[in-house]
Amino acid sequence: MLAMYYVFTDDIPEAVKVMETASQLDPLSPQINHFLSEMYLFANRYDDAARVADKLLEMNPQMRIAIETKGWCAGMKGDWKKASEYFMEVHKLTNHPLKGLSPLGYAYGKLGETDKAMEIISKLEQRQREEPNIVVDGDLVAVWMGLGDMDKEVLYMERAMGKRASAVNFFINFPPMKGIKDDPRAMKMNEDIRSSGTGAK
């Protein structure tokens, strides 16, 4: 939680230090290693993030979050085709037709496979209808970002924030979403959150 606080306050190096210390104290903790890999992602240290993900996969070869991390690392290093393969594996491991889809949708968007990305958007919207108590707006942010549609991205970010389901400062600091910092609407949301002292649940 302290590491996430540093992410939210734009101090990524400190977030990394916190999780590296935690990892030294409890090197076999899956949760700590997962958060360490996430902090490396936020710090654009993709080789380090992948290394920790590999460590997690040694513990459990079907750990979805570690496979997803490998996907983001591959994509952020320019290989979105390989990323889509990792993300497809993540989706298959959910054993559900409507779960684990947003990273795959993002990768399809980056690959220019618009029809496949739009199909995933339809599935996410279907899941929202079938499970009204969950919030998929954050997932939709990711897919629309992959497609490069900033208007839709900001729309769903506003909805996610309105439902207190996601934190805008998480979105703007996650490397695949880095383009969102160029949109003044998103940055205004971030400033509004900071000035009000509120955030996600």
Side-chain angles (χ1 to χ4, degrees):
M1 294 306 296
L2 179 60
M4 290 307 296
Y5 165 79
Y6 284 124
V7 170
F8 293 160
T9 55
D10 296 322
D11 193 346
I12 306 300
E14 197 61 33
V16 170
K17 288 180 185 178
V18 166
M19 290 316 305
E20 286 179 335
T21 300
S23 176
Q24 290 167 7
L25 293 170
D26 193 353
L28 297 180
S29 166
Q31 184 179 30
I32 287 174
N33 279 286
H34 160 54
F35 273 101
L36 176 59
S37 68
E38 277 207 338
M39 294 310 105
Y40 282 143
L41 268 178
F42 278 107
N44 303 306
R45 292 171 58 178
Y46 306 120
D47 290 338
D48 288 329
R51 172 180 52 78
V52 178
D54 284 334
K55 179 179 175 180
L56 288 167
L57 291 170
E58 287 179 8
M59 300 178 193
N60 178 359
Q62 293 190 319
M63 189 178 293
R64 294 200 309 267
I65 192 65
I67 298 169
E68 182 178 329
T69 296
K70 295 274 287 185
W72 288 122
C73 291
M76 293 308 295
K77 292 177 71 175
D79 192 346
W80 287 107
K81 179 64 175 175
K82 183 65 175 177
S84 70
E85 293 170 3
Y86 282 120
F87 295 150
M88 179 61 76
E89 186 177 355
V90 170
H91 170 55
K92 288 179 178 177
L93 286 169
T94 67
N95 198 31
H96 192 289
L98 304 179
K99 293 182 179 180
L101 285 168
S102 59
L104 183 58
Y106 181 97
Y108 284 150
K110 298 297 285 187
L111 289 167
E113 298 183 22
T114 304
D115 289 346
K116 290 183 178 179
M118 293 303 298
E119 182 180 351
I120 284 179
I121 286 172
S122 295
K123 288 180 178 180
L124 290 170
E125 291 172 340
Q126 178 185 345
R127 187 180 177 203
Q128 182 70 90
R129 291 192 298 272
E130 293 180 3
E131 300 180 57
N133 291 328
I134 68 163
V135 179
V136 303
D137 299 282
D139 299 284
L140 289 165
V141 170
V143 183
W144 284 114
M145 180 70 184
L147 286 165
D149 190 325
M150 295 297 288
D151 289 338
K152 288 287 179 60
E153 182 184 353
V154 170
L155 169 66
Y156 285 103
M157 185 180 294
E158 288 176 338
R159 290 185 180 181
M161 291 300 300
K163 298 170 186 175
R164 297 177 64 80
S166 299
V168 66
N169 33 24
F170 176 89
F171 287 128
I172 67 172
N173 281 304
F174 191 49
M177 307 291 182
K178 60 183 178 181
I180 202 165
K181 287 189 174 182
D182 297 327
D183 192 302
R185 295 169 296 180
M187 298 311 292
K188 183 178 186 305
M189 275 192 278
N190 191 43
E191 289 304 316
D192 289 346
I193 289 296
R194 288 184 178 218
S195 61
S196 68
T198 61
K201 288 182 179 177

